[in-house]
């Protein structure tokens, strides 16, 4: 009789499905809106509304996950709501007023952090503490691959079967993950939780005052802006160096492959390098990749894409390890979903910055991405924790 997959394996597979659907949703919606409205401004507005609203939804979702007796049921409801929002956008584009579609995209995006940080916040409930570093590394691998593969898959589906099919595929992947969320274990009964506003304040305070969490959140958020710049420039780089924009998007699969390889090494040896040091090194790798992409040669672009995966995979693994290590037990949901919402918003702003700069100079856009990664590196150095023997 074949052995049934472990709860962690089921959880990581479902998380990868949901996150891939989430990462597909934005680009697929953008392609669909471009085809239906014919205007880049309106299409970009829908895309931005879907991403930027995560900054508001993340903290609230985190509080609700921390308070829920059965967080898996809440997570499944968020997945279903996100998929329903995508379905309504798919049906409404070209039929409903644009203002209504914009509001719907904004409301759908509020649930976005559930697909990223919401899954990760529940990993610690599935494994013993000794196995958490390896579980976090495996979670980071799936997360990174979904981040890089989602946009490429959206482009592939749109080119082969049309943008509506790409949106439908994204929402189907999100729905496929819901049954695994329902199987998450219930939380032990605790004392009556604090009121919602008080809980929100406690989560924000933990992120601000816990030095390793504050540093990891700031560094990863700024660096995520740089990642948004690079991914947005990929189609333009493909058009300039490889003969077509689609080739540039397809190259992101190479980035996913290198991220997978780097993550696999870290999953086998999760303690080979402290997560804090890994986080600091990753932003330098990403800055190098973004700078290398300014060289007008196909080999430089391929090398930059590979380096991007080598930087992004370990960065996410390190970030998740730091959050698992330092998040207060009663605030884990908030720490993960708020952190995810900040990264999603920064990524969207980075993509918008790239679009503005690349209209005048692609090199300027890539240099801006390089600067964001270097700024993240400076923040990492500036927020270095005091030595253990330092006096308060």
């Amino acid at each position: 009789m074949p052995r049934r997959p472990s709860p962690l394996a089921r959880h990581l597979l479902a998380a990868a499905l949901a996150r891939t659907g989430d990462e597909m949703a934005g680009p697929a919606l953008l392609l669909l809106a471009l085809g239906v409205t014919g205007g880049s401004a309106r299409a970009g507005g829908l895309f931005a509304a879907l991403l930027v609203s995560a900054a508001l939804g993340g903290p609230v979702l985190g509080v609700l996950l921390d308070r829920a007796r059965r967080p898996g049921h809440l997570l499944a409801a968020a997945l279903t709501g996100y998929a329903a929002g995508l379905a309504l956008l798919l049906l409404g584009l070209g039929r409903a007023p644009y203002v209504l579609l914009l509001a719907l995209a904004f409301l759908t995006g509020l649930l976005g952090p559930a697909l990223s940080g919401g899954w990760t916040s529940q990993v610690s409930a599935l494994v013993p503490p000794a196995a958490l570093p390896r579980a976090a590394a495996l979670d980071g691998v799936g997360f990174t691959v979904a981040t890089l593969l989602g946009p490429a898959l959206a482009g592939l589906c749109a080119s082969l079967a049309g943008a509506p099919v790409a949106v439908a595929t994204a929402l189907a992947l999100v729905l496929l993950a819901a049954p695994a969320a329902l199987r998450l274990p219930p939380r032990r009964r605790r004392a009556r939780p604090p009121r919602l506003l008080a809980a929100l304040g406690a989560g924000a305070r933990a992120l601000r005052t816990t030095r390793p969490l504050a540093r990891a959140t700031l560094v990863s958020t700024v660096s995520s802006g740089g990642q948004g710049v690079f991914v947005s420039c990929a189609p333009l780089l493909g058009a300039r160096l490889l003969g077509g924009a689609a080739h540039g998007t397809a190259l992101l699969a190479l980035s996913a492959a290198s991220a997978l390889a780097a993550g696999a090494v870290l999953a086998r040896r999760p303690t080979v390098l402290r997560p804090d040091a890994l986080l600091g090194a990753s932003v330098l790798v990403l800055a190098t990749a973004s700078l290398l992409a300014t060289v007008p040669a196909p080999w430089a672009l391929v090398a930059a894409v590979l380096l991007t995966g080598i930087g992004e995979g370990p960065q996410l693994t390190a970030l998740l390890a730091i959050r698992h290590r330092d998040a207060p037990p009663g605030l884990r949901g908030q720490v993960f979903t708020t952190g995810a919402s900040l990264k999603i918003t920064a990524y969207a702003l980075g993509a918008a910055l790239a679009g503005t700069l690349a209209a005048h100079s692609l090199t300027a856009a890539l240099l801006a991405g390089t600067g964001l990664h270097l700024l993240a590196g400076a923040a990492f150095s500036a927020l270095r924790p005091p030595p253990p023997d330092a006096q308060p």
Side-chain angles (χ1 to χ4, degrees), residues 52-295:
V52 173
S53 58
L56 297 176
V60 177
L61 276 171
V63 171
L64 296 176
L65 282 171
D66 287 332
R67 296 158 65 95
R69 169 75 176 131
R70 298 196 66 97
H73 288 195
L74 178 62
L75 188 55
L79 295 173
T80 305
Y82 189 87
L86 290 180
L88 290 173
L89 286 166
L90 176 59
L91 295 173
L93 266 166
R95 300 179 182 89
Y98 177 72
V99 174
L100 180 61
L101 294 173
L102 201 63
L104 180 58
F106 185 89
L107 291 173
T108 303
L110 291 173
L111 300 173
L115 282 72
S116 48
W119 286 97
T120 302
S121 68
Q122 304 305 310
V123 168
S124 60
L126 301 173
V127 296
L132 189 55
R134 182 173 181 273
L138 291 171
D139 186 41
V141 171
F143 204 152
T144 305
V145 172
T147 299
L148 298 170
L149 200 57
L153 191 56
L156 181 63
C157 286
S159 62
L160 293 178
V165 173
V167 176
T169 302
L171 72 89
L173 288 174
V174 172
L175 281 177
L176 282 173
L182 290 172
R183 298 178 70 172
L184 281 167
R187 184 175 285 122
R188 293 179 181 177
R189 293 193 180 276
R190 299 180 306 190
R192 185 174 180 177
R195 292 185 177 181
L196 184 62
L197 289 179
L200 278 170
R205 206 160 38 248
L207 279 172
R208 188 179 67 252
T209 60
T210 306
R211 191 67 170 264
L213 281 178
R215 180 168 71 166
T217 300
L218 179 59
V219 169
S220 62
T221 298
V222 176
S223 184
S224 188
Q227 293 166 27
V229 170
F230 186 83
V231 171
S232 294
C233 288
L236 301 176
L237 288 166
R240 185 174 76 173
L241 300 173
L242 303 176
H247 297 313
T249 303
L251 267 185
L252 294 177
L254 278 181
S255 187
S258 62
L260 180 61
V265 171
L266 291 172
R268 288 180 64 87
R269 298 180 178 275
T271 58
V272 69
L273 194 63
R274 292 186 69 251
D276 305 84
L278 190 61
L279 180 69
S282 70
V283 295
L284 299 180
V285 173
L286 289 168
T288 303
S290 187
L291 186 61
L292 187 58
T294 63
V295 178

Side-chain angles (χ1 to χ4, degrees), residues 303-318:
V305 168
L306 289 171
L307 267 182
T308 297
I310 292 172
E312 286 190 8
Q315 182 183 106
L316 187 57
T317 297

Side-chain angles (χ1 to χ4, degrees), residues 320-359:
L320 298 182
I322 292 168
R323 287 176 180 164
H324 279 300
R325 183 191 67 196
D326 295 312
L331 301 173
R332 299 182 71 84
Q334 282 190 78
V335 167
F336 280 97
T337 57
T338 301
S341 68
L342 291 172
K343 287 191 65 181
I344 293 169
T345 303
Y347 186 94
L349 293 175
L353 174 65
T356 301
L357 293 178

